[in-house]
Amino acid sequence: MVMTVNSATRDAGGFLTISGQFKNGGSADYAKTPAWRGNELTQSGTSIAGVTVTDKAGKKRYYVLRDTDGRCLCTTGIALIERGAAIPFFAQFPAPPASTTEVEFNLPTFATATVKLSG
């Protein structure tokens, strides 16, 4: 399983949206996605609600935003990724300060990735 981050953009409303894709280049279907929702109990079901971004310079960790019903503002419904399939994802966070130019993107089962911010 390969995760690619395509963009990390500050939105006008004070949000940071990170998007990319998961690609299953293996020879079997990938069904380890429940770990991606993290330890939080949410209304999102299978999702990437366990993702966080860390502003190392500001010493602050940001969690995925939730709507008023407790659902994450992130990709949901990923229970299985078939072999050869590519699935897009997004996650929205509170935006770090304008002085922050990069964050660490953390999703369970993947190595931490440093992501440069735009916008």
Side-chain angles (χ1 to χ4, degrees):
M1 183 61 56
V2 175
M3 175 183 65
T4 303
V5 174
N6 295 327
S7 67
T9 307
R10 284 185 176 92
D11 300 331
F15 305 110
L16 171 66
T17 303
I18 297 181
S19 61
Q21 77 170 7
F22 300 111
K23 174 128 175 89
N24 182 354
S27 59
D29 294 345
Y30 186 85
K32 297 179 184 175
T33 64
W36 297 351
R37 69 179 165 220
N39 294 330
E40 293 186 62
L41 295 175
T42 69
Q43 299 297 319
S44 303
T46 53
S47 68
I48 63 166
V51 68
T52 61
V53 293
T54 304
D55 173 2
K56 288 182 78 172
K59 299 180 181 176
K60 192 167 186 180
R61 177 177 289 170
Y62 297 89
Y63 294 88
V64 173
L65 292 169
R66 305 282 192 258
D67 68 13
T68 56
D69 292 324
R71 293 182 300 255
C72 73
L73 297 180
C74 68
T75 299
T76 62
I78 302 175
L80 176 83
I81 301 176
E82 295 176 351
R83 69 174 187 220
I87 306 288
F89 74 83
F90 84 96
Q92 195 169 51
F93 306 87
S99 60
T100 300
T101 59
E102 65 183 27
V103 293
E104 293 199 346
F105 185 81
N106 306 286
L107 180 63
T109 74
F110 290 95
T112 298
T114 300
V115 177
K116 296 208 179 292
L117 304 182
S118 63

